[in-house]
């Protein structure tokens, strides 16, 4: 299935294409910075982003990085890995240190990631900054990459009610992206 998705163009190009309408709809609804990321080869690949139109906003850029511990999308992506993949990742990257205080063993990492899987959502507030983030998984068939969609916004626009609204909107967008890709 992944081979058929990638025949005419790369998988990431196709994923971006199929996700674009849901990302635009989500952006129109919440007007916050949106990131679509996938996990490959131990890295988070941001394949699509749409920044907020607010004067005060969180920036985002496409590309690959190692920010799996210190981002909401990265944490969701880690929660989607198999136990073997997670051990391989940790053996290469080590434990998060100040990127994720309190995670200093495989068991503590697995416990927190299990909670993210159960909730279907990761929340993150960067220490020492004014950035808040939420991310959810995009559920795809076996054999397709692990994908997460996230929202990043200044904490001045944060409240419990706002996070509930954003989380619901994220889940609907993730569901829409997953359904679109399943039709292929």
């Amino acid at each position: 299935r992944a081979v058929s998705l990638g025949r005419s163009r790369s998988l990431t190009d196709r994923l971006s294409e199929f996700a674009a309408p849901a990302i635009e709809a989500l952006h129109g609804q919440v007007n916050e910075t949106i990131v679509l990321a996938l996990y490959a080869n131990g890295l988070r690949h941001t394949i699509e982003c749409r920044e907020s139109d607010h004067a005060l906003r969180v920036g985002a850029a496409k590309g690959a990085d190692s920010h799996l511990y210190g981002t909401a999308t990265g944490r969701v992506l880690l929660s989607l890995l198999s136990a073997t993949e997670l051990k391989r990742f940790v053996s290469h990257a080590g434990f998060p240190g100040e990127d994720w205080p309190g995670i200093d063993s495989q068991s503590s990492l697995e416990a927190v990631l299990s909670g993210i899987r159960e909730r279907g959502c990761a929340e993150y507030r960067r220490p020492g900054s004014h950035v808040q983030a939420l991310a959810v998984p995009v559920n795809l068939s076996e054999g397709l990459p692990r994908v997460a969609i996230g929202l990043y916004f200044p904490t001045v626009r944060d409240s419990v009610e706002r996070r509930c609204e954003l989380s619901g909107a994220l889940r609907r967008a993730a569901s829409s992206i997953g359904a679109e890709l399943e039709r292929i």
Side-chain angles (χ1 to χ4, degrees), residues 31-49:
N31 194 16
E32 297 295 355
T33 298
I34 301 162
V35 171
L36 183 71
L38 63 85
Y39 177 86
N41 302 317
L43 297 173
R44 178 183 74 140
H45 297 262
T46 300
I47 59 171
E48 200 59 50
C49 57

Side-chain angles (χ1 to χ4, degrees), residues 69 83 86-87 90 95-96 100 102-115 117:
Y69 289 134
L86 183 60
K87 284 180 184 174
V90 171
F95 291 107
W100 204 346
I103 306 298
D104 55 6
S105 69
Q106 191 74 27
S107 61
S108 62
L109 178 60
E110 289 172 2
V112 173
L113 293 176
S114 175
R117 267 190 310 279

Side-chain angles (χ1 to χ4, degrees), residues 26-33 51-54 157 162:
L26 176 61
H27 183 266
Q29 181 181 1
V30 301
N31 194 16
E32 297 295 355
T33 298
E51 287 191 9
S52 168
D53 296 327
H54 292 289
R157 290 196 294 273
R162 179 85 166 131

Side-chain angles (χ1 to χ4, degrees), residues 33-180:
T33 298
I34 301 162
V35 171
L36 183 71
L38 63 85
Y39 177 86
N41 302 317
L43 297 173
R44 178 183 74 140
H45 297 262
T46 300
I47 59 171
E48 200 59 50
C49 57
R50 178 75 158 82
E51 287 191 9
S52 168
D53 296 327
H54 292 289
L56 180 60
R57 65 180 170 266
V58 178
K62 292 182 182 181
D65 60 50
S66 59
H67 305 296
L68 286 126
Y69 289 134
T71 62
T73 52
R75 290 177 180 189
V76 167
L77 293 171
L78 288 174
S79 78
L80 299 173
L81 298 181
S82 69
T84 303
E85 290 172 309
L86 183 60
K87 284 180 184 174
R88 189 178 318 124
F89 174 81
V90 171
S91 72
H92 174 72
F95 291 107
E98 54 188 59
D99 278 340
W100 204 346
I103 306 298
D104 55 6
S105 69
Q106 191 74 27
S107 61
S108 62
L109 178 60
E110 289 172 2
V112 173
L113 293 176
S114 175
I116 290 171
R117 267 190 310 279
E118 288 173 18
R119 286 186 311 278
C121 184
E123 292 187 24
Y124 177 70
R125 183 168 180 188
R126 186 173 301 146
S129 80
H130 300 284
V131 175
Q132 180 77 27
L134 299 169
V136 301
V138 175
N139 296 313
L140 301 175
S141 297
E142 188 69 30
L144 292 177
R146 277 67 143 219
V147 178
I149 186 169
L151 285 166
Y152 295 81
F153 53 97
T155 56
V156 297
R157 290 196 294 273
D158 184 36
S159 68
V160 172
E161 296 81 18
R162 179 85 166 131
R163 267 182 274 137
C164 287
E165 171 195 338
L166 294 174
S167 177
L170 264 177
R171 289 174 199 277
R172 288 187 295 278
S175 179
S176 176
I177 292 167
E180 188 64 34

